[in-house]
Amino acid sequence: MADYMASTLGPVFVSLMLSSSLYGCALVQTSVYYKLFPKDSWKIRILVTSEMCLQTVHLAFLIVGVRESAIYVPGQGTSELANTIVIGVVFGGPIAFCTQAFFVLRLYIFSHKKALPVLCSFLVVTQVAFTIVVSVTTVIDERSPLHLWQRWFIISSLFITICADTTIAVSMSYYLKASKPCFGRTSRVVDRMVLYIMGMTTSISSLASGISFLIAPGIYIWLGLFIIESGLYTNSLLAALNTRAKFSHQLQCPTSADGLEVPLSGLIIQGNCASRTESRRGSPGS
């Protein structure tokens, strides 16, 4: 029983506590987002709402799953990891997919090139597909240990996540630094935000999860780290959206999404700033 608590329930319980904390942070950020950007694009508002709905279901399944796993008695022939936990893990795939898709779209708008966004899209879709396949087959074969192909799918999914997030972060960093002078004053801030929030945290979490799985697959530290990742993705998305308010002050633009968002309609920040610069030059006080 002590081994079960240390190897299975303990890591999952810790990940539940951390996921709950990240969920609370996401709730606060969501409230701030709706207050700061009430006229934001309906597409982004739907994205934020979908992320929070998925996070709510994800956390609910984890809570129920941890409760069921806590009353599990080793040796009675049932699965030691409750199916509800595995089902909760399934929702982590779409949560990561939505956030990564948002940043891939931003990458395409900044770069105006298709090669990198297509590569990142392929990695993101492959990752979510692997996650869903492994989770669903694990629920179906609840009394069976992980098959060899499932292990390879898990390892591949984790390291594909590292490749996708790192590629998105580095590419965004490059194109932001190469942007026009109008955006130069905030490019370093945006660069660091994307690199550290999106690239660093999720990549390090995936790397740690992959190494833990390779070293000790029977100890669910790797699963706990994987569960936490969904909260990191949601908070990175909300942080990217909410930080526009700070950038608007630096650019002397209104605190709205119109001038700061890399909009889905294709309007670009530089053009918006340029028009404001022209209007200042034409004013009597200039």
Side-chain angles (χ1 to χ4, degrees), residues 110 171-179 183 187 190-191 194:
F110 272 116
S171 301
M172 284 285 290
S173 173
Y174 171 78
Y175 285 111
L176 284 167
K177 287 181 178 179
S179 59
F183 191 62
S187 64
V190 181
D191 177 14
V194 175

Side-chain angles (χ1 to χ4, degrees), residues 186 189-190 193 240 243-252 260:
T186 58
V189 184
V190 181
M193 177 189 69
T243 312
R244 295 175 299 172
K246 179 180 179 180
F247 299 156
S248 68
H249 177 71
Q250 296 181 9
L251 289 172
Q252 297 181 352
L260 292 165

